[in-house]
Amino acid sequence: MRVIVGFALGALVGIPLGYAMGLSGWFRGWFDPIVEFMRPVPPLALIPLVIIWFGIDEGSKYALIAFGTFTPTVVATYGAVDNVDRTLIRMGQSFGLSWFSIVRKIVLPGAMPGILSGLRISLSIAIILLVAAEMLGAEHGI
């Protein structure tokens, strides 16, 4: 249950942010330095800080898993949206589709394999982080 909640929190924030970064240069300019700053930090190194900030409670485990899954989800989503074939977008524009229709009918299906691949990587990271967090501050068990 902890893996699902923490993973969902990381994905719930990561997918829309990565999608916005892939579609908008403004979002990319503001949030790419923040994501790239957080990217090289291994989530396992944050266990002591998370315990200090949130205590040895369920909240610390959720926060650790959410932080650990956020960065790979954002990077994979941003890369997938950015790599959608531009000729397909131009084709949608030439057929007179609105921007919302282009995003919904062309960009989202084209980016879905990359997004799901990033979620698969994030889920494996979430399981590793759960085991590590439970080894340090377990009250009941996994």
Coordinates of all heavy atoms in Angstrom, one line a residue, residues 56 61 133-142:
I56 N 9.8 9.1 12.1 CA 9.7 7.7 11.7 C 8.2 7.4 11.7 O 7.7 6.8 12.7 CB 10.5 6.8 12.7 CG1 12.0 7.2 12.7 CG2 10.4 5.4 12.2 CD1 12.8 6.4 13.6
K61 N 7.9 7.7 4.8 CA 8.0 6.7 3.8 C 7.3 7.2 2.5 O 7.8 7.0 1.4 CB 7.4 5.4 4.2 CG 8.2 4.8 5.4 CD 7.5 3.6 6.0 CE 8.2 3.0 7.1 NZ 8.1 3.8 8.3
A133 N 13.5 2.2 3.4 CA 12.9 3.0 4.4 C 12.4 2.1 5.5 O 12.4 2.4 6.7 CB 11.8 3.8 3.8
E134 N 11.9 0.9 5.2 CA 11.4 0.0 6.2 C 12.5 -0.6 7.1 O 12.3 -0.9 8.2 CB 10.6 -1.1 5.6 CG 9.2 -0.7 5.1 CD 8.3 -0.4 6.3 OE1 8.5 -0.8 7.4 OE2 7.4 0.4 6.0
M135 N 13.7 -0.8 6.5 CA 14.8 -1.3 7.2 C 15.3 -0.3 8.3 O 15.7 -0.7 9.4 CB 16.0 -1.6 6.3 CG 15.7 -2.9 5.5 SD 17.0 -3.2 4.2 CE 18.5 -3.2 5.1
L136 N 15.2 1.0 8.0 CA 15.6 2.0 9.0 C 14.6 2.3 10.0 O 14.9 2.5 11.2 CB 16.0 3.3 8.2 CG 17.3 3.1 7.5 CD1 17.6 4.4 6.7 CD2 18.5 2.8 8.4
G137 N 13.3 2.5 9.6 CA 12.3 2.9 10.6 C 11.1 2.1 10.5 O 10.0 2.7 10.3
A138 N 11.1 0.9 10.8 CA 10.0 0.0 10.7 C 9.2 0.0 12.1 O 9.8 -0.2 13.1 CB 10.4 -1.4 10.3
E139 N 7.9 0.2 12.0 CA 7.1 0.0 13.1 C 6.4 -1.4 13.1 O 6.2 -2.1 14.1 CB 6.0 1.1 13.2 CG 6.6 2.4 13.6 CD 5.6 3.5 13.6 OE1 4.4 3.2 13.4 OE2 5.9 4.7 13.7
H140 N 5.9 -1.7 11.9 CA 5.1 -3.0 11.8 C 5.8 -4.0 10.8 O 6.0 -5.1 11.2 CB 3.7 -2.7 11.3 CG 3.0 -1.8 12.2 ND1 2.6 -2.1 13.5 CD2 2.5 -0.5 12.0 CE1 2.0 -1.1 14.0 NE2 1.9 -0.1 13.1
G141 N 6.2 -3.6 9.7 CA 6.7 -4.5 8.7 C 6.3 -4.0 7.3 O 5.6 -3.0 7.1
I142 N 6.9 -4.6 6.3 CA 6.6 -4.2 4.9 C 5.1 -4.5 4.6 O 4.4 -3.7 4.1 CB 7.5 -4.9 3.9 CG1 8.9 -4.5 4.1 CG2 7.1 -4.6 2.5 CD1 9.9 -5.1 3.2

